[in-house]
Amino acid sequence: MRIGKVFVISAPSGAGKSTICKRVLSELDNIAFSVSMTTRKPRPGETDGVEYKFIDEQTFKKLISEGEFLEWAKVHNNFYGTPLSLVREKINQGQDIILDIDVQGGMQVKERLPESILVFIAPPSMAELEKRLRGRKTETEEVIATRLKNAEEEMKYKDKYEYCIINDDLEQAIAELKTIIKKYR
Ligand code: ADP
Ligand code: 5GP
Protein backbone atom coordinates (compact mmCIF):
# COMPACT_ATOMS: atom_id res chain seq x y z
CA MET A 1 0.00 0.00 0.00
CA ARG A 2 1.01 3.58 -0.63
CA ILE A 3 2.61 5.50 2.23
CA GLY A 4 1.19 9.02 2.47
CA LYS A 5 3.33 12.12 2.00
CA VAL A 6 4.08 14.71 4.66
CA PHE A 7 3.57 18.33 3.54
CA VAL A 8 5.01 20.99 5.82
CA ILE A 9 3.39 24.39 5.35
CA SER A 10 5.06 27.38 7.00
CA ALA A 11 4.48 31.12 6.78
CA PRO A 12 4.80 34.26 8.88
CA SER A 13 1.70 34.73 11.02
CA GLY A 14 -1.05 36.45 9.03
CA ALA A 15 0.17 35.37 5.57
CA GLY A 16 -2.98 33.26 5.11
CA LYS A 17 -1.67 29.79 5.83
CA SER A 18 -4.68 28.58 7.86
CA THR A 19 -7.14 29.93 5.27
CA ILE A 20 -5.29 28.16 2.45
CA CYS A 21 -4.85 24.88 4.36
CA LYS A 22 -8.53 24.74 5.34
CA ARG A 23 -9.65 25.14 1.75
CA VAL A 24 -7.17 22.59 0.39
CA LEU A 25 -8.19 20.07 3.05
CA SER A 26 -11.85 20.46 2.14
CA GLU A 27 -11.23 20.27 -1.62
CA LEU A 28 -8.86 17.29 -1.83
CA ASP A 29 -9.54 13.69 -0.83
CA ASN A 30 -7.25 11.48 1.16
CA ILE A 31 -5.49 14.22 3.06
CA ALA A 32 -5.49 14.89 6.79
CA PHE A 33 -4.53 17.80 9.01
CA SER A 34 -2.02 17.27 11.77
CA VAL A 35 -3.65 18.70 14.90
CA SER A 36 -0.80 20.16 16.95
CA MET A 37 -0.61 20.56 20.69
CA THR A 38 -0.09 24.04 22.08
CA THR A 39 0.13 25.94 25.33
CA ARG A 40 -1.48 28.99 23.62
CA LYS A 41 -4.97 29.89 24.80
CA PRO A 42 -7.79 29.17 22.31
CA ARG A 43 -9.01 32.07 20.18
CA PRO A 44 -12.74 32.71 19.93
CA GLY A 45 -14.11 30.14 17.50
CA GLU A 46 -11.37 27.58 18.07
CA THR A 47 -12.41 24.16 19.36
CA ASP A 48 -10.17 21.90 21.42
CA GLY A 49 -9.08 18.98 19.26
CA VAL A 50 -9.95 20.70 15.95
CA GLU A 51 -7.45 23.54 15.34
CA TYR A 52 -5.24 22.44 18.22
CA LYS A 53 -5.22 20.33 21.30
CA PHE A 54 -4.85 22.97 24.04
CA ILE A 55 -2.70 21.79 26.95
CA ASP A 56 -0.78 23.39 29.83
CA GLU A 57 2.98 23.86 29.93
CA GLN A 58 3.54 21.07 32.44
CA THR A 59 1.76 18.53 30.24
CA PHE A 60 3.63 19.83 27.18
CA LYS A 61 7.00 19.33 28.87
CA LYS A 62 6.04 15.84 29.99
CA LEU A 63 5.17 14.91 26.40
CA ILE A 64 8.55 16.25 25.22
CA SER A 65 10.36 14.06 27.73
CA GLU A 66 8.34 11.05 26.64
CA GLY A 67 9.37 11.60 23.03
CA GLU A 68 5.79 12.07 21.83
CA PHE A 69 6.60 14.88 19.37
CA LEU A 70 7.88 14.57 15.82
CA GLU A 71 9.01 18.17 16.37
CA TRP A 72 8.25 20.99 18.75
CA ALA A 73 9.21 24.65 19.13
CA LYS A 74 8.58 27.77 21.13
CA VAL A 75 6.87 30.21 18.79
CA HIS A 76 5.76 33.75 19.74
CA ASN A 77 6.14 32.84 23.47
CA ASN A 78 4.05 29.64 23.38
CA PHE A 79 4.95 25.99 22.88
CA TYR A 80 3.68 24.09 19.83
CA GLY A 81 4.34 20.47 18.87
CA THR A 82 3.37 17.81 16.34
CA PRO A 83 2.33 14.46 17.87
CA LEU A 84 4.26 11.72 16.10
CA SER A 85 1.52 9.10 16.55
CA LEU A 86 -1.06 10.87 14.38
CA VAL A 87 1.37 11.52 11.53
CA ARG A 88 2.49 7.91 11.57
CA GLU A 89 -1.09 6.62 11.65
CA LYS A 90 -2.26 8.73 8.71
CA ILE A 91 0.67 8.09 6.38
CA ASN A 92 0.53 4.36 7.15
CA GLN A 93 -3.14 4.45 6.09
CA GLY A 94 -1.97 5.91 2.78
CA GLN A 95 -3.24 9.41 3.53
CA ASP A 96 -1.21 12.56 2.91
CA ILE A 97 -0.90 14.90 5.87
CA ILE A 98 -0.51 18.66 6.20
CA LEU A 99 1.62 20.04 9.03
CA ASP A 100 0.90 23.73 9.61
CA ILE A 101 4.04 24.49 11.62
CA ASP A 102 6.63 27.23 12.01
CA VAL A 103 10.05 27.36 10.32
CA GLN A 104 11.93 25.87 13.30
CA GLY A 105 9.57 22.88 13.19
CA GLY A 106 9.90 22.68 9.39
CA MET A 107 13.67 22.30 9.68
CA GLN A 108 13.29 19.54 12.32
CA VAL A 109 10.82 17.60 10.18
CA LYS A 110 13.07 17.80 7.11
CA GLU A 111 15.92 16.38 9.15
CA ARG A 112 13.88 13.50 10.59
CA LEU A 113 11.85 12.82 7.45
CA PRO A 114 13.96 13.91 4.46
CA GLU A 115 11.22 12.80 2.04
CA SER A 116 8.80 15.39 3.46
CA ILE A 117 7.85 18.28 1.18
CA LEU A 118 8.33 21.84 2.43
CA VAL A 119 6.07 24.65 1.22
CA PHE A 120 6.49 28.26 2.32
CA ILE A 121 3.65 30.75 2.02
CA ALA A 122 4.78 34.35 1.75
CA PRO A 123 2.69 37.53 1.93
CA PRO A 124 2.93 39.88 -1.09
CA SER A 125 4.56 42.49 1.20
CA MET A 126 5.22 43.21 4.86
CA ALA A 127 2.65 46.03 4.76
CA GLU A 128 0.00 43.61 3.52
CA LEU A 129 1.01 41.10 6.22
CA GLU A 130 0.44 43.73 8.90
CA LYS A 131 -2.91 44.65 7.38
CA ARG A 132 -4.06 41.00 7.42
CA LEU A 133 -2.85 40.39 10.93
CA ARG A 134 -4.76 43.43 12.18
CA GLY A 135 -7.76 42.66 10.00
CA ARG A 136 -8.14 39.23 11.60
CA LYS A 137 -8.87 40.99 14.91
CA THR A 138 -7.82 38.00 17.00
CA GLU A 139 -4.68 39.40 18.63
CA THR A 140 -3.76 42.20 20.99
CA GLU A 141 -1.39 44.99 19.85
CA GLU A 142 1.39 43.39 21.85
CA VAL A 143 0.92 40.01 20.17
CA ILE A 144 0.72 41.66 16.73
CA ALA A 145 4.02 43.45 17.40
CA THR A 146 5.75 40.18 18.40
CA ARG A 147 4.42 38.39 15.32
CA LEU A 148 5.52 41.16 12.95
CA LYS A 149 8.98 41.24 14.47
CA ASN A 150 9.28 37.45 14.10
CA ALA A 151 8.02 37.63 10.49
CA GLU A 152 11.29 39.18 9.32
CA GLU A 153 13.27 36.26 10.79
CA GLU A 154 10.83 33.67 9.43
CA MET A 155 11.09 35.12 5.90
CA LYS A 156 14.81 34.27 5.93
CA TYR A 157 13.94 30.56 5.87
CA LYS A 158 12.05 30.85 2.58
CA ASP A 159 14.96 29.53 0.49
CA LYS A 160 15.24 26.39 2.60
CA TYR A 161 11.76 25.37 1.40
CA GLU A 162 11.21 23.42 -1.80
CA TYR A 163 8.30 25.62 -2.87
CA CYS A 164 7.27 29.19 -2.19
CA ILE A 165 3.73 30.38 -2.84
CA ILE A 166 3.04 34.10 -2.72
CA ASN A 167 -0.43 34.55 -1.28
CA ASP A 168 -1.55 37.63 -3.19
CA ASP A 169 -4.66 36.27 -4.90
CA LEU A 170 -6.17 33.72 -2.50
CA GLU A 171 -7.78 31.50 -5.15
CA GLN A 172 -4.52 31.29 -7.08
CA ALA A 173 -2.56 30.41 -3.93
CA ILE A 174 -5.03 27.61 -3.11
CA ALA A 175 -4.74 26.26 -6.67
CA GLU A 176 -0.94 26.31 -6.45
CA LEU A 177 -0.88 24.29 -3.23
CA LYS A 178 -3.32 21.77 -4.69
CA THR A 179 -1.10 21.40 -7.77
CA ILE A 180 1.98 20.75 -5.61
CA ILE A 181 0.20 18.07 -3.57
CA LYS A 182 -1.23 16.34 -6.65
CA LYS A 183 2.23 16.21 -8.20
CA TYR A 184 3.27 13.72 -5.51
CA ARG A 185 0.33 11.36 -6.03
P1 ADP B 1 -2.17 32.57 9.13
O1 ADP B 1 -2.81 31.24 9.35
O2 ADP B 1 -1.06 32.51 8.13
O3 ADP B 1 -1.75 33.27 10.39
P2 ADP B 1 -4.86 33.44 8.27
O4 ADP B 1 -5.22 32.32 7.36
O5 ADP B 1 -5.50 33.51 9.62
O6 ADP B 1 -3.25 33.52 8.45
O7 ADP B 1 -5.10 34.80 7.48
C1 ADP B 1 -4.90 36.07 8.06
C2 ADP B 1 -6.00 37.01 7.58
O8 ADP B 1 -5.77 37.34 6.20
C3 ADP B 1 -7.40 36.42 7.66
O9 ADP B 1 -8.30 37.40 8.10
C4 ADP B 1 -7.68 35.99 6.21
O10 ADP B 1 -9.05 36.00 5.92
C5 ADP B 1 -6.92 37.02 5.39
N1 ADP B 1 -6.40 36.54 4.08
C6 ADP B 1 -5.87 35.33 3.79
N2 ADP B 1 -5.46 35.26 2.50
C7 ADP B 1 -5.75 36.47 1.96
C8 ADP B 1 -5.57 37.03 0.63
N3 ADP B 1 -5.02 36.34 -0.38
N4 ADP B 1 -5.97 38.30 0.44
C9 ADP B 1 -6.53 39.01 1.46
N5 ADP B 1 -6.73 38.55 2.72
C10 ADP B 1 -6.35 37.29 2.97
P1 5GP C 1 -1.05 30.41 15.78
O1 5GP C 1 -0.84 30.77 17.22
O2 5GP C 1 -1.26 31.63 14.93
O3 5GP C 1 -2.11 29.38 15.57
O4 5GP C 1 0.30 29.74 15.26
C1 5GP C 1 1.53 30.40 15.45
C2 5GP C 1 2.63 29.68 14.71
O5 5GP C 1 2.86 28.39 15.29
C3 5GP C 1 2.33 29.42 13.23
O6 5GP C 1 3.50 29.71 12.50
C4 5GP C 1 2.03 27.94 13.18
O7 5GP C 1 2.34 27.37 11.95
C5 5GP C 1 2.97 27.44 14.26
N1 5GP C 1 2.63 26.10 14.73
C6 5GP C 1 1.40 25.55 14.90
N2 5GP C 1 1.50 24.29 15.32
C7 5GP C 1 2.82 23.99 15.39
C8 5GP C 1 3.56 22.82 15.74
O8 5GP C 1 3.05 21.76 16.06
N3 5GP C 1 4.92 22.93 15.71
C9 5GP C 1 5.57 24.08 15.37
N4 5GP C 1 6.90 24.06 15.33
N5 5GP C 1 4.89 25.19 15.02
C10 5GP C 1 3.54 25.15 15.03
PDB file of all heavy atoms in Angstrom, residues 11-12 14-16 120-130 132 151 155 165-168:
ATOM      1  N   ALA A  11       4.670  29.739   7.255  1.00  0.00           N
ATOM      2  CA  ALA A  11       4.479  31.117   6.785  1.00  0.00           C
ATOM      3  C   ALA A  11       4.561  32.049   7.981  1.00  0.00           C
ATOM      4  O   ALA A  11       4.272  31.614   9.101  1.00  0.00           O
ATOM      5  CB  ALA A  11       3.104  31.269   6.147  1.00  0.00           C
ATOM      6  N   PRO A  12       4.920  33.306   7.774  1.00  0.00           N
ATOM      7  CA  PRO A  12       4.801  34.256   8.878  1.00  0.00           C
ATOM      8  C   PRO A  12       3.331  34.390   9.264  1.00  0.00           C
ATOM      9  O   PRO A  12       2.446  34.246   8.412  1.00  0.00           O
ATOM     10  CB  PRO A  12       5.319  35.577   8.296  1.00  0.00           C
ATOM     11  CG  PRO A  12       5.891  35.264   6.971  1.00  0.00           C
ATOM     12  CD  PRO A  12       5.390  33.937   6.529  1.00  0.00           C
ATOM     13  N   GLY A  14      -0.224  35.483   9.752  1.00  0.00           N
ATOM     14  CA  GLY A  14      -1.047  36.448   9.033  1.00  0.00           C
ATOM     15  C   GLY A  14      -0.940  36.336   7.517  1.00  0.00           C
ATOM     16  O   GLY A  14      -1.683  36.986   6.784  1.00  0.00           O
ATOM     17  N   ALA A  15      -0.021  35.481   7.037  1.00  0.00           N
ATOM     18  CA  ALA A  15       0.168  35.370   5.575  1.00  0.00           C
ATOM     19  C   ALA A  15      -1.014  34.671   4.893  1.00  0.00           C
ATOM     20  O   ALA A  15      -1.204  34.801   3.680  1.00  0.00           O
ATOM     21  CB  ALA A  15       1.453  34.616   5.270  1.00  0.00           C
ATOM     22  N   GLY A  16      -1.796  33.924   5.678  1.00  0.00           N
ATOM     23  CA  GLY A  16      -2.979  33.264   5.109  1.00  0.00           C
ATOM     24  C   GLY A  16      -2.871  31.743   5.088  1.00  0.00           C
ATOM     25  O   GLY A  16      -3.672  31.067   4.442  1.00  0.00           O
ATOM     26  N   PHE A 120       6.522  26.990   1.586  1.00  0.00           N
ATOM     27  CA  PHE A 120       6.495  28.262   2.315  1.00  0.00           C
ATOM     28  C   PHE A 120       5.427  29.157   1.694  1.00  0.00           C
ATOM     29  O   PHE A 120       5.318  29.235   0.473  1.00  0.00           O
ATOM     30  CB  PHE A 120       7.871  28.929   2.206  1.00  0.00           C
ATOM     31  CG  PHE A 120       8.074  30.070   3.157  1.00  0.00           C
ATOM     32  CD1 PHE A 120       8.628  29.825   4.421  1.00  0.00           C
ATOM     33  CD2 PHE A 120       7.723  31.366   2.821  1.00  0.00           C
ATOM     34  CE1 PHE A 120       8.830  30.872   5.322  1.00  0.00           C
ATOM     35  CE2 PHE A 120       7.916  32.414   3.715  1.00  0.00           C
ATOM     36  CZ  PHE A 120       8.472  32.168   4.963  1.00  0.00           C
ATOM     37  N   ILE A 121       4.647  29.797   2.536  1.00  0.00           N
ATOM     38  CA  ILE A 121       3.652  30.753   2.023  1.00  0.00           C
ATOM     39  C   ILE A 121       4.076  32.152   2.442  1.00  0.00           C
ATOM     40  O   ILE A 121       4.242  32.427   3.640  1.00  0.00           O
ATOM     41  CB  ILE A 121       2.240  30.394   2.512  1.00  0.00           C
ATOM     42  CG1 ILE A 121       1.856  29.026   1.920  1.00  0.00           C
ATOM     43  CG2 ILE A 121       1.232  31.483   2.111  1.00  0.00           C
ATOM     44  CD1 ILE A 121       0.530  28.492   2.328  1.00  0.00           C
ATOM     45  N   ALA A 122       4.298  32.993   1.461  1.00  0.00           N
ATOM     46  CA  ALA A 122       4.782  34.354   1.745  1.00  0.00           C
ATOM     47  C   ALA A 122       3.688  35.374   1.463  1.00  0.00           C
ATOM     48  O   ALA A 122       2.888  35.191   0.538  1.00  0.00           O
ATOM     49  CB  ALA A 122       6.008  34.658   0.881  1.00  0.00           C
ATOM     50  N   PRO A 123       3.646  36.452   2.236  1.00  0.00           N
ATOM     51  CA  PRO A 123       2.693  37.532   1.925  1.00  0.00           C
ATOM     52  C   PRO A 123       3.246  38.346   0.763  1.00  0.00           C
ATOM     53  O   PRO A 123       4.458  38.327   0.533  1.00  0.00           O
ATOM     54  CB  PRO A 123       2.704  38.357   3.214  1.00  0.00           C
ATOM     55  CG  PRO A 123       4.085  38.176   3.762  1.00  0.00           C
ATOM     56  CD  PRO A 123       4.511  36.780   3.379  1.00  0.00           C
ATOM     57  N   PRO A 124       2.407  39.077   0.023  1.00  0.00           N
ATOM     58  CA  PRO A 124       2.930  39.884  -1.092  1.00  0.00           C
ATOM     59  C   PRO A 124       3.867  40.988  -0.601  1.00  0.00           C
ATOM     60  O   PRO A 124       4.762  41.399  -1.337  1.00  0.00           O
ATOM     61  CB  PRO A 124       1.683  40.464  -1.762  1.00  0.00           C
ATOM     62  CG  PRO A 124       0.528  40.130  -0.897  1.00  0.00           C
ATOM     63  CD  PRO A 124       0.940  39.100   0.102  1.00  0.00           C
ATOM     64  N   SER A 125       3.668  41.463   0.645  1.00  0.00           N
ATOM     65  CA  SER A 125       4.564  42.486   1.202  1.00  0.00           C
ATOM     66  C   SER A 125       4.393  42.490   2.715  1.00  0.00           C
ATOM     67  O   SER A 125       3.414  41.944   3.239  1.00  0.00           O
ATOM     68  CB  SER A 125       4.203  43.878   0.663  1.00  0.00           C
ATOM     69  OG  SER A 125       2.916  44.241   1.153  1.00  0.00           O
ATOM     70  N   MET A 126       5.325  43.128   3.408  1.00  0.00           N
ATOM     71  CA  MET A 126       5.224  43.212   4.863  1.00  0.00           C
ATOM     72  C   MET A 126       4.047  44.112   5.269  1.00  0.00           C
ATOM     73  O   MET A 126       3.398  43.863   6.282  1.00  0.00           O
ATOM     74  CB  MET A 126       6.534  43.728   5.467  1.00  0.00           C
ATOM     75  CG  MET A 126       7.630  42.686   5.423  1.00  0.00           C
ATOM     76  SD  MET A 126       7.088  41.075   6.036  1.00  0.00           S
ATOM     77  CE  MET A 126       8.347  40.690   7.143  1.00  0.00           C
ATOM     78  N   ALA A 127       3.781  45.131   4.462  1.00  0.00           N
ATOM     79  CA  ALA A 127       2.655  46.029   4.762  1.00  0.00           C
ATOM     80  C   ALA A 127       1.331  45.264   4.690  1.00  0.00           C
ATOM     81  O   ALA A 127       0.448  45.425   5.538  1.00  0.00           O
ATOM     82  CB  ALA A 127       2.652  47.209   3.797  1.00  0.00           C
ATOM     83  N   GLU A 128       1.223  44.410   3.675  1.00  0.00           N
ATOM     84  CA  GLU A 128      -0.002  43.610   3.518  1.00  0.00           C
ATOM     85  C   GLU A 128      -0.123  42.589   4.662  1.00  0.00           C
ATOM     86  O   GLU A 128      -1.218  42.333   5.166  1.00  0.00           O
ATOM     87  CB  GLU A 128       0.001  42.916   2.138  1.00  0.00           C
ATOM     88  CG  GLU A 128      -1.159  41.966   1.871  1.00  0.00           C
ATOM     89  CD  GLU A 128      -2.549  42.616   1.825  1.00  0.00           C
ATOM     90  OE1 GLU A 128      -2.640  43.847   1.642  1.00  0.00           O
ATOM     91  OE2 GLU A 128      -3.548  41.880   1.995  1.00  0.00           O
ATOM     92  N   LEU A 129       1.018  42.050   5.092  1.00  0.00           N
ATOM     93  CA  LEU A 129       1.006  41.100   6.217  1.00  0.00           C
ATOM     94  C   LEU A 129       0.432  41.777   7.464  1.00  0.00           C
ATOM     95  O   LEU A 129      -0.427  41.229   8.155  1.00  0.00           O
ATOM     96  CB  LEU A 129       2.425  40.603   6.495  1.00  0.00           C
ATOM     97  CG  LEU A 129       2.545  39.573   7.619  1.00  0.00           C
ATOM     98  CD1 LEU A 129       2.002  38.221   7.165  1.00  0.00           C
ATOM     99  CD2 LEU A 129       3.985  39.417   8.083  1.00  0.00           C
ATOM    100  N   GLU A 130       0.910  42.985   7.730  1.00  0.00           N
ATOM    101  CA  GLU A 130       0.444  43.735   8.904  1.00  0.00           C
ATOM    102  C   GLU A 130      -1.058  43.997   8.801  1.00  0.00           C
ATOM    103  O   GLU A 130      -1.805  43.830   9.762  1.00  0.00           O
ATOM    104  CB  GLU A 130       1.228  45.049   9.022  1.00  0.00           C
ATOM    105  CG  GLU A 130       0.820  45.858  10.222  1.00  0.00           C
ATOM    106  CD  GLU A 130       1.803  46.973  10.560  1.00  0.00           C
ATOM    107  OE1 GLU A 130       2.871  47.061   9.911  1.00  0.00           O
ATOM    108  OE2 GLU A 130       1.479  47.762  11.471  1.00  0.00           O
ATOM    109  N   ARG A 132      -3.300  42.245   7.213  1.00  0.00           N
ATOM    110  CA  ARG A 132      -4.062  40.999   7.417  1.00  0.00           C
ATOM    111  C   ARG A 132      -4.085  40.586   8.887  1.00  0.00           C
ATOM    112  O   ARG A 132      -5.109  40.137   9.394  1.00  0.00           O
ATOM    113  CB  ARG A 132      -3.460  39.862   6.575  1.00  0.00           C
ATOM    114  CG  ARG A 132      -3.753  40.046   5.108  1.00  0.00           C
ATOM    115  CD  ARG A 132      -3.226  38.886   4.292  1.00  0.00           C
ATOM    116  NE  ARG A 132      -3.254  39.236   2.880  1.00  0.00           N
ATOM    117  CZ  ARG A 132      -2.691  38.531   1.922  1.00  0.00           C
ATOM    118  NH1 ARG A 132      -2.042  37.412   2.226  1.00  0.00           N
ATOM    119  NH2 ARG A 132      -2.761  38.921   0.662  1.00  0.00           N
ATOM    120  N   ALA A 151       8.246  37.867  11.931  1.00  0.00           N
ATOM    121  CA  ALA A 151       8.018  37.629  10.493  1.00  0.00           C
ATOM    122  C   ALA A 151       9.297  37.849   9.686  1.00  0.00           C
ATOM    123  O   ALA A 151       9.600  37.092   8.764  1.00  0.00           O
ATOM    124  CB  ALA A 151       6.899  38.527   9.986  1.00  0.00           C
ATOM    125  N   MET A 155      10.946  34.952   7.355  1.00  0.00           N
ATOM    126  CA  MET A 155      11.092  35.116   5.902  1.00  0.00           C
ATOM    127  C   MET A 155      12.466  34.648   5.416  1.00  0.00           C
ATOM    128  O   MET A 155      12.614  34.228   4.269  1.00  0.00           O
ATOM    129  CB  MET A 155      10.865  36.574   5.491  1.00  0.00           C
ATOM    130  CG  MET A 155       9.412  37.034   5.525  1.00  0.00           C
ATOM    131  SD  MET A 155       8.333  36.128   4.400  1.00  0.00           S
ATOM    132  CE  MET A 155       8.855  36.799   2.832  1.00  0.00           C
ATOM    133  N   ILE A 165       4.956  29.849  -2.234  1.00  0.00           N
ATOM    134  CA  ILE A 165       3.727  30.378  -2.842  1.00  0.00           C
ATOM    135  C   ILE A 165       3.521  31.784  -2.304  1.00  0.00           C
ATOM    136  O   ILE A 165       3.529  31.982  -1.080  1.00  0.00           O
ATOM    137  CB  ILE A 165       2.508  29.500  -2.453  1.00  0.00           C
ATOM    138  CG1 ILE A 165       2.673  28.072  -2.986  1.00  0.00           C
ATOM    139  CG2 ILE A 165       1.205  30.126  -2.937  1.00  0.00           C
ATOM    140  CD1 ILE A 165       1.600  27.091  -2.490  1.00  0.00           C
ATOM    141  N   ILE A 166       3.343  32.745  -3.198  1.00  0.00           N
ATOM    142  CA  ILE A 166       3.044  34.099  -2.722  1.00  0.00           C
ATOM    143  C   ILE A 166       1.527  34.251  -2.658  1.00  0.00           C
ATOM    144  O   ILE A 166       0.843  34.128  -3.674  1.00  0.00           O
ATOM    145  CB  ILE A 166       3.693  35.168  -3.619  1.00  0.00           C
ATOM    146  CG1 ILE A 166       5.220  35.005  -3.529  1.00  0.00           C
ATOM    147  CG2 ILE A 166       3.287  36.585  -3.184  1.00  0.00           C
ATOM    148  CD1 ILE A 166       6.010  35.822  -4.486  1.00  0.00           C
ATOM    149  N   ASN A 167       1.028  34.452  -1.442  1.00  0.00           N
ATOM    150  CA  ASN A 167      -0.426  34.549  -1.279  1.00  0.00           C
ATOM    151  C   ASN A 167      -0.892  35.991  -1.518  1.00  0.00           C
ATOM    152  O   ASN A 167      -1.139  36.738  -0.582  1.00  0.00           O
ATOM    153  CB  ASN A 167      -0.846  34.069   0.106  1.00  0.00           C
ATOM    154  CG  ASN A 167      -2.362  34.181   0.300  1.00  0.00           C
ATOM    155  OD1 ASN A 167      -3.113  34.232  -0.667  1.00  0.00           O
ATOM    156  ND2 ASN A 167      -2.789  34.231   1.547  1.00  0.00           N
ATOM    157  N   ASP A 168      -1.004  36.322  -2.820  1.00  0.00           N
ATOM    158  CA  ASP A 168      -1.553  37.626  -3.194  1.00  0.00           C
ATOM    159  C   ASP A 168      -3.029  37.376  -3.487  1.00  0.00           C
ATOM    160  O   ASP A 168      -3.904  37.740  -2.712  1.00  0.00           O
ATOM    161  CB  ASP A 168      -0.780  38.143  -4.409  1.00  0.00           C
ATOM    162  CG  ASP A 168      -1.092  39.588  -4.712  1.00  0.00           C
ATOM    163  OD1 ASP A 168      -1.978  40.156  -4.049  1.00  0.00           O
ATOM    164  OD2 ASP A 168      -0.462  40.155  -5.622  1.00  0.00           O
TER     165      ASP A 168
END
